[in-house]
Amino acid sequence: MYDLLVIGGGPAGYTAALSGARAGLRVALIEQLSPGGQMTETQQIDNYPGFDEGVDGFTLGFKMQAGAERFGAETVAAQVLSVDFTASPKRVVTDSGALFARAVVVATGATHRHLGLAEEAALLGKGVGYCAACDGMLFRGKTVAVVGGGNSAAADALLLSKLCKEVYLIHRRDTLRAEKVYHTPLAQAENIHFKWNATVKALLHGDKLTGVLLENKDGTEETLALDGLFISIGRTPVTSLFRGILDLDEEGYIIAGEDTKTNIPGVFAAGDVRKKPFRQIVTAAADGAVAAYFAEAYLAEQGEA
Ligand code: NAP
């Protein structure tokens, strides 16, 4: 029996666990993979304060875990199967058994959006990937493409341009969504080639990916021979467990204000899983601290903290 259960071990989750534990709450955090969440896919994080040389996502994740555990937060390595937030205490069922708590912070983050093409899942790890920072090394000296026009696609293309022979950036419009800071380095990288107004219509393959069929805005098609394709078209929230339980917006993000309070008293949503305008590690961490603050206040109101 815990005061506070945190679901998800990214920056929001571990900051909630740290803040709750420092406030004297009995806290457990449930994480199914390694600490850090989406951060673990980033080799160089320069926009989280306190690291003058930047930091890699794995290191930052483990530091966040260690920081929370220093104050007594426990990490439970398990997968959450179902939740009952209306029960008292609230119940979270995992593949290692049920856990109970008086308050819960949901910090399950978001995961990669898929193009939805035939064979996309089957070719994962066979030329198709979603994480250039994780798998880029496999394509050293080869020809790859990145799909997308946001900050992630821009960062992926730049990373890959340092490893690969040629990098194509395939974007469905003729202007990038990525912030200006990326535009000049992308334009200056001699081995990055833009494919504007183009979408991937089909994945070409034998046992592994051999290329893509592109459809241009004017209706013409072209084949691009590739060794690898990184799909970097945004994210979807990890909220299927909470559908019908917590209020979600049309994209599946949990509806909660800056106070992180959901529609169920004692349940808070922190980080990328929450409907919010700006998602960064630092804003996720801030959410975690806010969620722990209101969880503590909730428990005090209940006379249980
Ligand atoms: P994003 O900003 O939502 O951009 C997604 C991109 O993929 C857009 O260019 C979009 O095209 C394109 N796209 C979406 N669905 C598509 C489809 N079905 N087919 C083809 N293209 C598609 O996502 P993100 O780049 O992953 O970034 C997510 C969040 O993380 C953002 O808030 C971003 O700022 C943040 N982030 C920040 C940094 C940083 O601060 N350095 C680095 C990485 C990510 P349209 O432009 O036409 O919509």
Side-chain angles (χ1 to χ4, degrees):
M1 177 69 178
Y2 295 92
D3 297 318
L4 181 63
L5 262 182
V6 180
I7 306 176
Y14 269 116
T15 307
L18 168 66
S19 304
R22 283 191 76 222
L25 302 180
R26 188 160 180 237
V27 180
L29 180 147
I30 307 168
E31 169 58 45
Q32 59 182 349
L33 298 169
S34 57
Q38 295 172 73
M39 291 193 307
T40 58
E41 298 176 358
T42 306
Q43 280 179 339
Q44 176 77 12
I45 295 166
D46 290 321
N47 57 357
Y48 191 75
F51 296 90
D52 55 348
E53 299 286 327
V55 61
D56 70 277
F58 259 110
T59 300
L60 187 54
F62 279 106
K63 279 184 178 294
M64 287 185 179
Q65 179 184 26
E69 291 180 352
R70 186 157 69 93
F71 288 92
E74 296 170 30
T75 298
V76 177
Q79 185 187 3
V80 175
L81 302 177
S82 66
V83 297
D84 185 350
F85 290 156
T86 52
S88 181
K90 301 180 195 311
R91 186 162 61 116
V92 176
V93 178
T94 77
D95 56 0
S96 306
L99 298 167
F100 298 89
R102 297 185 179 92
V104 175
V105 174
V106 176
T108 44
T111 188
H112 305 284
R113 192 179 288 155
H114 297 175
L115 280 172
L117 293 168
E119 306 299 322
E120 186 173 339
L123 289 167
L124 181 61
K126 295 177 184 166
V128 172
Y130 297 87
C131 177
C134 317
D135 303 330
M137 289 296 282
L138 302 173
F139 298 92
R140 185 178 278 280
K142 302 206 165 155
T143 298
V144 299
V146 176
V147 189
N151 282 341
S152 301
D156 286 355
L158 287 171
L159 171 80
L160 292 165
S161 73
K162 297 187 181 95
L163 299 167
C164 303
K165 190 168 149 227
E166 307 294 344
V167 179
Y168 292 92
L169 186 53
I170 303 165
H171 185 33
R172 62 185 178 183
R173 294 188 293 128
D174 63 358
T175 49
L176 292 174
R177 178 180 294 277
E179 290 166 294
K180 291 260 181 302
V181 69
Y182 287 109
H183 293 204
T184 304
L186 283 171
Q188 285 176 345
E190 285 177 3
N191 61 345
I192 295 181
H193 316 286
F194 292 92
K195 290 284 180 187
W196 300 112
N197 294 314
T199 52
V200 179
K201 193 174 178 191
L203 302 172
L204 310 176
H205 61 91
D207 289 345
K208 52 187 186 172
L209 184 89
T210 54
V212 292
L213 179 65
L214 294 182
E215 181 172 34
N216 298 311
K217 204 173 183 180
D218 60 9
T220 57
E221 293 183 348
E222 71 177 291
T223 298
L224 200 56
L226 297 172
D227 300 299
L229 178 73
F230 288 94
I231 298 165
S232 191
I233 58 168
R235 292 165 194 268
T236 45
V238 181
T239 50
S240 56
L241 279 173
F242 312 113
R243 200 163 283 284
I245 299 171
L246 298 177
D247 289 345
L248 308 178
D249 73 0
E250 62 287 350
E251 289 181 82
Y253 289 95
I254 298 174
I255 298 173
E258 288 300 314
D259 60 10
T260 73
K261 291 179 182 176
T262 69
N263 55 303
I264 297 186
V267 179
F268 305 86
D272 282 10
V273 77
R274 182 171 76 84
K275 181 181 169 70
K276 60 198 276 198
F278 189 46
R279 294 188 173 87
Q280 282 201 340
I281 299 167
V282 71
T283 64
D287 266 15
V290 171
Y293 171 81
F294 282 107
E296 192 194 349
Y298 167 81
L299 292 170
E301 275 166 28
Q302 308 289 306
E304 291 167 344

